[in-house]
Amino acid sequence: MEDIRSVDGNEASRLLCGLTIDTTLYEEVQKFLVRRHQTKDKSKRKRKVPARKSTAQLRERLSTPSSTNRPTSASSVKSGTSVRSPDPKKHRHVVLGNDSTAADVVSAGLSSAVSNEDDETPSASKSIKDLLYGADGKLRAEVIDAIRQDKEYMLLQRGGQRKDRVADAMTLVAPTFCGDASVWCDSADQPSVNESTLGNDADSLQIFLATITKCNPQRAGDALLRLLQRPTCSDVKDVVWNAVSSAASCEATLPDRIIAGIKEAIEHHTNSKGGTRTTAAETFVKNAVTACVWAIVKDGDDVSRNKLVDLLGTTDNQIKAAVTLARELIEKKTFITELERAQRSDYIRDELLPFLLDWLEDDTVTRFDSNQSHVEIEDPMNPGKTLTKHGRTWRMVNKQIQHKTFEKSPQCDNFCRLTGATGVGYTVFRDGVKKFGKLVRDPSPESCVDEKVSGLEHAMESLYLLLRGNDVKTLLEGHKTKPGEVSVDEFTETLRRRSSFKLVASVCCEKVEAHDLHIEKDKPCPKMIPLRCTHGRNGDKDNRCTCCGVQRRLGNIFAKLEGDESIKRKPVTVMEWKEARRQGHKKGKDNTQRELTSTVMTVAELLDHFKNLLDICIPHIQEIKWIKHLQDTDFSKMSKDNILIFTDFAALMALRARQAKNSSVDAHAIIANFVVLWNKRIVDAKGKKKDESGEEVEYEEKVTISNVDVFHFFAETFEKGKKNDHQMHNTCLDEIIRIFRARLGELGVELKHVIIWTDNAPHQYRCRQTFIQVASIQLRHPGITVTHRLAVVDNFKGIHDAVGKDPSRIVRELEKMDIRSPTAFMVFVNCIQHLETYETKWDELERENDIGIQLKGRFGLNERTMYFVTEKKEDYDRLVAQYPGRILLCDRTNIQDTISKKAVDDTMQLHEVKSFETSLPEAYQSKGKNKLDIRNWRVLTSYLPCNCFTCLGSFSRDAVVNDRVVKVKVTTAALEQDIFVRRDVCQYKEWCKARVYTMKSPIHQEPTQHISLPYLERNEVPPTAPREVEEVAAVVPPVNDNADDTTSSTPSDEGAVAVESNVTEEASTR
């Protein structure tokens, strides 16, 4: 016979797992019952264990019947009760009821064992079933008789101790179990069990658990917990714990959300910056906290207030007050009443705020800050709401003076009259001003100030204070404004805002849409003041528009002020830009510099001063806006074969040591900053946003970006002479062009045009040495044209200034870490290690097509590189081996210049110089004694550079015809190629004044090789004495428009010989 232990049954079958079918079954059953009956009884031990919440919860979970339909046992059918009933008494009757028999008990257990559908040993099941049951499906009579004759059956009939019987049975079963009961099998290696088998297992486990524990739920729960706490049952505990914790978390979701909602509501009604709640908010918070502690107070639970504070997000005092209130309401059985808050002792501070805000907006106390935008402040009249105000600047910086001024103000008088206060102390005043945040700030230092705009705005301030005087108000009261004039109120409001741009707009004709300049179609059409109003008719500044101007718009107001003798002679104080004396002498004169100086003048002098400054600023401000529009269109029209450069020299860097001796002298370093925009492209970015229903949806957007690379060029100041000049600029510019000609070549694009923006500094950019370098660009970079545009004086702040501060910041930070930068070369070395960048977040966002790439904007940095410039050839030869490709030689022994140092006409008025030649001009010999070989280099110069549709060579433009905007074709076959034709068709030609100017330069000052070659491929020769003209002519590179550029960059010796032979032939033919 086969072993019954191989049959996978429920707990009832496990009690008989020691039986083997080697004789007849009823004989083995009889032996088993006899052995069980002979086991000694054990004394009872009662132990009372207090119930815990976790135990009760687990007990309830484990005692809940499964809803799975599965077959019931024979005993449950006979008693008419389901074994899955939650009532333990019913299970007790099923097992040992007075109307039950031992045959029923055995039948119930064995039926479950032999009816298992997942049994893997069907032969054993069939053998057992045939021995136990007859054809009618009932136990054989022999089996029933053997059981009835057993003493165990008699024990069951007389109701023996169940605990002893079960314990004896388990004692007999455990030694005969096949395997180690403390070792559980790996569930992953076991076959899956169906729901029917699991149901039967649960039924049997519930029956035996009720039998063992006498249907005591506390005892059953504790027994299960004790079993699961054993290390040997850790696997079983994990299964139970995962199921129970998952259910518990689902059941606890709603209470947790309610508690979280209460906490968020209290936080919502609490000011994060501090301060007192409103009465309504305080009532809400007080009632909410009282409701939360109600049950705790009622039951007298000892709960830590800290836990309640963390749970509700309120304060300890609020918990105390809520507990006291709840206890009072519970004990007295009363109801909550309306909250009446006691008045704060410092309520006077809140009453002061509206009067203080009114005082802060007084133009005699503060003024509009043109460098600050709008700020948000809390409304003192409506707490919880915000106001949007324009930023302002203090007219007086000292806090004590501010306080004394407020005490004497009418706002303070009104406050004392309405509240009964006797005054406002300094502390209350100071704290009240802080309530308004950044509304008013101290004047900040400004560098590179526009002298013209600054002088006009200071004159506006003095004139505004004059117009606020009672005598002037009386004089101008009832002034009648004629058509086309500015009223007194409008003029006063413009002066109050202290905006020179608004003032210029008010005295000129109304702005009109410039359709010819509407290059960026995704932006509104630009509006400009007509050039005839700012620069005169046909470019004649003395012949301005008669419909506007200072005299036409403001003449009557000024005449009325000048007509009153008492006001005309009244003294006023004005801040004026003047030459201020400084230490030292130069050429027998004292050194001076331009700076603001306080000047006392009469009202008549102030009006003349104001009119003169306004006449100067009208064209000046127009040019500022024109150049700004030009920079925007340069970026929007930038193509793949163009690069856009913004460059400037940073302030002289002082290399101050952290520890220095008395009267020590700092070393200095020169920095030239170049910001290069290139490879403009459109990328498809993906992101997520919420739709109208509040659900997140994906969307795609096209974003226009470009690479932005920053280059820092460092130089020493040891040698005599100025180092941040045109020669260093031209050396760095040549290197930039060489770099990006190679980079674009790697992308399969040939660099054709370079647009470079600089300021108007003389000796650096606005000089003949720089202009001749632009004109002769074909000498150094064949096939490339350059447009050099100069910004308006004192109006070239931008990205180049921002990146120029980074090296200085790094040097200061390293100095604090005892990493010295005593020379410009060490600044270059340290910045390579701590500042140089080749990978930024924008590169990653672009690779991932993330919508965050749109935050890159126009000047999001991609790369930062350092270079060092030296003037000595020996230093260059020594350093180039250590830092190959990073060292530049600024050769000051041979600077290209014009014949007789002739400058371009009207250099001071130029804003654009553009290279004109597309090939190398023919050389000729000059007349006179020297007989120099000369080349004529033509450049295109402009007073006002133009980016209209015509000048850009577009096929059509927007124009106004009969009050309608229409497309007008302006391009012809000649227009596409001839720049002169385009300039003649341009409607702004009278003000642009574009012309071609010829610059003459000697050949012996020209470079001997193309700069476009990499440094390692150049055969550089140390500078020597003045060379012979024949030698220079023999090495001038040829210019062939149809030649491939790769010939000039071939590093092989054969290529070099070929180039030299071609040059010789070209020179001989000339």
Side-chain angles (χ1 to χ4, degrees):
M1 291 293 180
E2 299 183 29
D3 196 340
I4 196 174
R5 290 173 292 182
S6 61
V7 181
D8 186 12
N10 57 9
E11 291 296 333
S13 66
R14 294 179 191 275
L15 291 174
L16 304 177
C17 62
L19 298 178
T20 53
I21 312 302
D22 53 351
T23 59
T24 60
L25 178 63
Y26 49 87
E27 292 176 352
E28 296 299 325
V29 172
Q30 184 179 9
K31 292 179 183 179
F32 166 72
L33 294 177
V34 170
R35 289 196 303 271
R36 183 185 179 283
H37 175 65
Q38 292 175 350
T39 306
K40 297 181 179 181
D41 295 341
K42 296 182 180 180
S43 60
K44 301 179 181 179
R45 287 180 294 177
K46 296 182 179 180
R47 184 165 61 92
K48 207 168 187 180
V49 181
R52 295 188 298 270
K53 291 184 178 181
S54 58
T55 304
Q57 187 178 7
L58 183 60
R59 181 179 69 242
E60 181 182 359
R61 178 70 179 167
L62 295 178
S63 64
T64 303
S66 175
S67 60
T68 308
N69 295 326
R70 50 183 182 267
T72 58
S73 62
S75 60
S76 64
V77 173
K78 183 175 182 179
S79 61
T81 308
S82 173
V83 296
R84 293 184 298 276
S85 173
D87 189 357
K89 293 183 180 180
K90 295 180 181 180
H91 295 288
R92 179 178 58 190
H93 290 308
V94 170
V95 179
L96 295 171
N98 294 330
D99 57 347
S100 300
T101 62
D104 295 332
V105 177
V106 176
S107 175
L110 295 181
S111 297
S112 177
V114 300
S115 63
N116 186 7
E117 297 178 359
D118 293 339
D119 194 356
E120 296 181 357
T121 56
S123 59
S125 300
K126 189 174 185 303
S127 302
I128 296 170
K129 188 173 182 179
D130 293 340
L131 290 172
L132 295 177
Y133 297 89
D136 56 353
K138 298 181 179 180
L139 284 174
R140 295 179 184 275
E142 298 84 358
V143 176
I144 296 175
D145 293 340
I147 293 175
R148 286 178 176 175
Q149 294 175 5
D150 192 84
K151 295 180 180 181
E152 177 67 11
Y153 173 71
M154 300 302 295
L155 184 61
L156 289 173
Q157 287 295 323
R158 62 176 180 265
Q161 295 295 333
R162 287 171 294 179
K163 174 185 175 183
D164 297 336
R165 292 197 303 272
V166 175
D168 294 339
M170 296 304 296
T171 304
L172 294 173
V173 171
T176 58
F177 174 69
C178 60
D180 187 356
S182 63
V183 178
W184 296 87
C185 301
D186 188 359
S187 58
D189 300 335
Q190 301 298 317
S192 60
V193 182
N194 58 22
E195 290 293 332
S196 176
T197 303
L198 293 177
N200 292 333
D201 292 346
D203 292 339
S204 302
L205 181 60
Q206 186 172 0
I207 292 172
F208 277 91
L209 186 62
T211 304
I212 295 171
T213 62
K214 296 183 178 181
C215 293
N216 186 341
Q218 180 65 46
R219 179 180 173 185
D222 291 342
L224 284 175
L225 289 175
R226 183 66 60 85
L227 175 66
L228 295 177
Q229 289 173 358
R230 293 179 178 177
T232 55
C233 296
S234 60
D235 295 339
V236 181
K237 181 180 70 175
D238 292 341
V239 176
V240 176
W241 175 254
N242 291 335
V244 173
S245 61
S246 176
S249 62
C250 296
E251 294 171 0
T253 299
L254 184 58
D256 291 344
R257 288 182 60 82
I258 293 175
I259 295 297
I262 295 174
K263 185 174 182 179
E264 291 179 5
I266 293 175
E267 183 180 356
H268 176 75
H269 289 83
T270 304
N271 189 357
S272 59
K273 297 181 180 179
T276 307
R277 299 187 185 96
T278 61
T279 302
E282 184 67 17
T283 303
F284 170 79
V285 174
K286 184 176 182 179
N287 294 340
V289 178
T290 303
C292 291
V293 302
W294 187 276
I296 298 174
V297 174
K298 183 178 180 180
D299 298 338
D301 295 339
D302 185 14
V303 180
S304 172
R305 283 201 302 267
N306 293 333
K307 290 184 178 180
L308 294 176
V309 169
D310 296 338
L311 190 64
L312 300 178
T314 184
T315 61
D316 184 73
N317 291 334
Q318 197 70 255
I319 296 292
K320 279 186 188 178
V323 170
T324 303
L325 178 61
R327 184 179 291 112
E328 181 181 353
L329 295 175
I330 293 172
E331 291 176 354
K332 296 181 180 181
K333 297 182 179 180
T334 57
F335 298 98
I336 197 166
T337 58
E338 184 179 357
L339 175 65
E340 295 182 0
R341 299 186 60 189
Q343 191 178 47
R344 287 177 46 190
S345 59
D346 59 347
Y347 77 97
I348 199 70
R349 296 172 180 254
D350 295 336
E351 299 291 337
L352 173 66
L353 293 180
F355 300 92
L356 191 57
L357 177 60
D358 185 40
W359 178 76
L360 289 175
E361 292 184 307
D362 190 340
D363 293 298
T364 60
V365 178
T366 62
R367 61 174 174 83
F368 273 93
D369 189 353
S370 57
N371 296 323
Q372 189 177 5
S373 59
H374 291 81
V375 295
E376 289 188 352
I377 60 174
E378 185 176 359
D379 188 355
M381 301 297 294
N382 299 296
K385 296 184 179 180
T386 59
L387 295 175
T388 302
K389 299 285 187 178
H390 195 285
R392 304 181 70 87
T393 301
W394 286 107
R395 294 187 184 273
M396 59 201 85
V397 180
N398 187 279
K399 304 301 180 185
Q400 300 291 342
I401 297 178
Q402 294 171 4
H403 174 237
K404 292 179 180 179
T405 305
F406 175 71
E407 285 185 318
K408 298 177 182 179
S409 66
Q411 290 86 356
C412 184
D413 294 340
N414 293 334
F415 166 72
C416 294
R417 179 174 52 83
L418 295 176
T419 61
T422 57
V424 178
Y426 173 75
T427 304
V428 176
F429 168 79
R430 179 197 61 193
D431 295 343
V433 172
K434 289 182 179 178
K435 288 285 186 179
F436 298 108
K438 298 180 179 179
L439 174 62
V440 186
R441 67 177 185 178
D442 292 337
S444 57
E446 302 176 33
S447 60
C448 301
V449 178
D450 189 339
E451 180 181 328
K452 298 174 183 176
V453 172
S454 173
L456 177 61
E457 291 180 349
H458 281 289
M460 292 172 64
E461 181 177 354
S462 300
L463 190 56
Y464 171 72
L465 297 178
L466 173 68
L467 294 181
R468 282 181 57 90
N470 293 329
D471 52 348
V472 177
K473 284 184 178 179
T474 304
L475 177 65
L476 296 178
E477 188 176 359
H479 173 72
K480 295 182 180 179
T481 304
K482 298 180 180 179
E485 293 182 348
V486 179
S487 66
V488 176
D489 292 338
E490 293 174 347
F491 182 51
T492 305
E493 178 63 19
T494 304
L495 295 178
R496 186 180 74 88
R497 293 181 175 273
R498 203 179 181 230
S499 173
S500 56
F501 287 79
K502 293 183 180 296
L503 178 62
V504 169
S506 66
V507 300
C508 292
C509 290
E510 188 176 357
K511 294 180 180 180
V512 296
E513 291 185 345
H515 296 282
D516 282 2
L517 303 177
H518 193 191
I519 306 299
E520 300 177 272
K521 294 300 182 182
D522 56 336
K523 295 183 180 181
C525 183
K527 289 186 175 182
M528 295 281 186
I529 298 174
L531 288 174
R532 69 175 184 274
C533 302
T534 59
H535 289 71
R537 292 187 178 91
N538 300 324
D540 184 5
K541 293 184 178 181
D542 297 329
N543 186 19
R544 290 184 180 174
C545 175
T546 57
C547 299
C548 61
V550 181
Q551 189 62 32
R552 175 72 175 83
R553 298 294 176 94
L554 302 174
N556 289 336
I557 297 177
F558 290 169
K560 207 163 189 177
L561 292 174
E562 293 173 342
D564 190 291
E565 290 296 330
S566 60
I567 295 178
K568 179 180 179 181
R569 298 176 181 178
K570 185 177 181 179
V572 292
T573 303
V574 184
M575 297 297 293
E576 185 181 6
W577 286 90
K578 287 185 175 182
E579 295 289 342
R581 182 181 175 184
R582 285 293 177 266
Q583 68 274 11
H585 301 271
K586 187 174 183 180
K587 296 182 179 179
K589 296 182 180 180
D590 294 334
N591 291 336
T592 59
Q593 69 177 26
R594 301 281 293 179
E595 63 181 32
L596 277 173
T597 306
S598 180
T599 306
V600 178
M601 60 179 66
T602 63
V603 172
E605 293 173 340
L606 172 61
L607 295 178
D608 291 338
H609 175 66
F610 177 81
K611 288 186 287 187
N612 292 334
L613 289 175
L614 185 53
D615 282 334
I616 294 173
C617 284
I618 288 176
H620 179 72
I621 289 177
Q622 176 76 326
E623 290 176 4
I624 293 175
K625 294 202 166 194
W626 184 276
I627 294 297
K628 179 64 173 63
H629 172 74
L630 212 64
Q631 292 178 357
D632 294 338
T633 54
D634 277 347
F635 177 79
S636 61
K637 298 298 292 183
M638 185 173 64
S639 58
K640 286 283 187 179
D641 55 1
N642 292 3
I643 62 173
L644 182 60
I645 302 175
F646 295 87
T647 181
D648 194 8
F649 284 95
L652 192 66
M653 183 188 295
L655 307 179
R656 178 174 294 274
R658 186 174 62 87
Q659 295 180 339
K661 295 286 289 182
N662 188 24
S663 302
S664 61
V665 179
D666 299 335
H668 295 86
I670 299 295
I671 308 178
N673 304 307
F674 282 75
V675 180
V676 184
L677 283 69
W678 63 292
N679 191 23
K680 182 182 173 183
R681 57 199 179 277
I682 298 176
V683 297
D684 294 326
K686 299 180 180 179
K688 292 184 178 180
K689 64 179 179 181
K690 291 185 178 181
D691 57 9
E692 297 178 354
S693 61
E695 296 182 358
E696 284 192 349
V697 295
E698 291 188 355
Y699 72 101
E700 292 186 2
E701 185 175 333
K702 293 187 179 298
V703 181
T704 302
I705 62 172
S706 64
N707 283 55
V708 180
D709 294 351
V710 176
F711 297 84
H712 298 293
F713 296 88
F714 301 93
E716 301 283 8
T717 59
F718 294 139
E719 290 80 10
K720 185 179 179 180
K722 192 174 182 179
K723 307 305 173 187
N724 51 344
D725 62 351
H726 54 82
Q727 185 61 16
M728 181 174 176
H729 162 74
N730 292 325
T731 301
C732 300
L733 178 61
D734 284 336
E735 179 68 9
I736 292 292
I737 297 176
R738 183 191 68 83
I739 291 173
F740 283 95
R741 188 169 200 171
R743 290 188 182 181
L744 289 176
E746 294 175 357
L747 301 177
V749 179
E750 182 182 359
L751 177 61
K752 294 183 178 179
H753 190 58
V754 177
I755 302 176
I756 177 170
W757 279 95
T758 68
D759 61 15
N760 234 308
H763 307 294
Q764 292 177 351
Y765 311 116
R766 192 189 56 191
C767 58
R768 65 181 187 278
Q769 293 91 341
T770 300
F771 293 163
I772 190 62
Q773 292 283 326
V774 172
S776 62
I777 189 68
Q778 295 298 326
L779 275 175
R780 303 178 307 282
H781 308 283
I784 296 178
T785 57
V786 174
T787 299
H788 186 173
R789 285 176 170 167
L790 300 101
V792 180
V793 178
D794 297 330
N795 284 272
F796 190 57
K797 290 290 186 181
I799 181 64
H800 46 278
D801 294 303
V803 299
K805 298 177 182 177
D806 295 332
S808 300
R809 175 181 55 83
I810 288 294
V811 168
R812 288 194 303 268
E813 292 177 356
L814 294 178
E815 190 68 41
K816 296 176 182 178
M817 301 165 57
D818 289 334
I819 301 178
R820 289 249 47 219
S821 301
T823 62
F825 178 74
M826 288 307 301
V827 174
F828 158 72
V829 173
N830 290 332
C831 286
I832 286 180
Q833 299 177 4
H834 300 279
L835 188 60
E836 199 160 87
T837 305
Y838 290 100
E839 182 76 14
T840 62
K841 63 178 180 179
W842 309 120
D843 301 314
E844 182 178 356
L845 291 175
E846 184 179 1
R847 286 193 296 267
E848 297 176 356
N849 292 332
D850 194 299
I851 193 62
I853 192 65
Q854 65 183 357
L855 300 178
K856 184 179 188 297
R858 185 177 298 180
F859 296 109
L861 178 64
N862 289 92
E863 186 176 307
R864 191 194 295 262
T865 315
M866 312 297 158
Y867 286 82
F868 183 73
V869 182
T870 180
E871 298 179 1
K872 297 182 178 180
K873 188 63 170 64
E874 55 270 23
D875 291 341
Y876 170 79
D877 293 335
R878 174 175 52 85
L879 297 175
V880 74
Q882 301 177 19
Y883 298 92
R886 299 296 188 90
I887 310 299
L888 304 182
L889 178 62
C890 180
D891 186 5
R892 295 184 179 274
T893 61
N894 187 31
I895 299 177
Q896 188 176 5
D897 204 341
T898 59
I899 298 295
S900 302
K901 299 182 179 181
K902 172 66 175 176
V904 179
D905 294 341
D906 299 330
T907 297
M908 300 293 292
Q909 302 180 38
L910 297 180
H911 286 287
E912 181 184 75
V913 175
K914 185 176 182 180
S915 62
F916 191 82
E917 305 292 352
T918 58
S919 61
L920 201 64
E922 293 289 339
Y924 67 94
Q925 197 172 63
S926 64
K927 299 178 181 180
K929 298 180 180 180
N930 295 329
K931 302 292 184 181
L932 295 176
D933 286 350
I934 301 174
R935 293 189 201 275
N936 289 343
W937 298 99
R938 291 179 297 174
V939 290
L940 183 66
T941 63
S942 299
Y943 283 21
L944 277 182
C946 184
N947 270 1
C948 68
F949 283 101
T950 304
C951 296
L952 292 175
S954 302
F955 290 92
S956 63
R957 62 177 173 87
D958 292 340
V960 179
V961 178
N962 296 330
D963 297 330
R964 292 187 305 110
V965 180
V966 298
K967 294 285 185 181
V968 179
K969 292 186 177 181
V970 297
T971 302
T972 61
L975 181 61
E976 296 180 18
Q977 300 178 355
D978 195 342
I979 191 172
F980 298 105
V981 177
R982 294 206 301 268
R983 297 289 179 176
D984 290 339
V985 176
C986 175
Q987 65 171 329
Y988 304 106
K989 62 181 179 180
E990 291 86 0
W991 299 280
C992 293
K993 295 184 179 180
R995 60 193 175 92
V996 176
Y997 185 85
T998 302
M999 303 183 72
K1000 300 180 179 181
S1001 175
I1003 292 181
H1004 71 271
Q1005 293 178 350
E1006 297 176 353
T1008 57
Q1009 282 188 329
H1010 294 326
I1011 305 298
S1012 292
L1013 291 174
Y1015 278 105
L1016 298 180
E1017 298 176 7
R1018 299 184 205 149
N1019 298 319
E1020 293 188 344
V1021 181
T1024 58
R1027 311 164 197 170
E1028 296 295 331
V1029 175
E1030 290 77 15
E1031 292 183 2
V1032 176
V1035 295
V1036 171
V1039 176
N1040 186 358
D1041 294 337
N1042 300 324
D1044 190 0
D1045 289 340
T1046 54
T1047 9
S1048 61
S1049 60
T1050 305
S1052 63
D1053 295 337
E1054 296 178 359
V1057 172
V1059 172
E1060 188 174 359
S1061 61
N1062 291 336
V1063 170
T1064 307
E1065 293 176 3
E1066 180 71 13
S1068 61
T1069 55
R1070 293 177 182 175

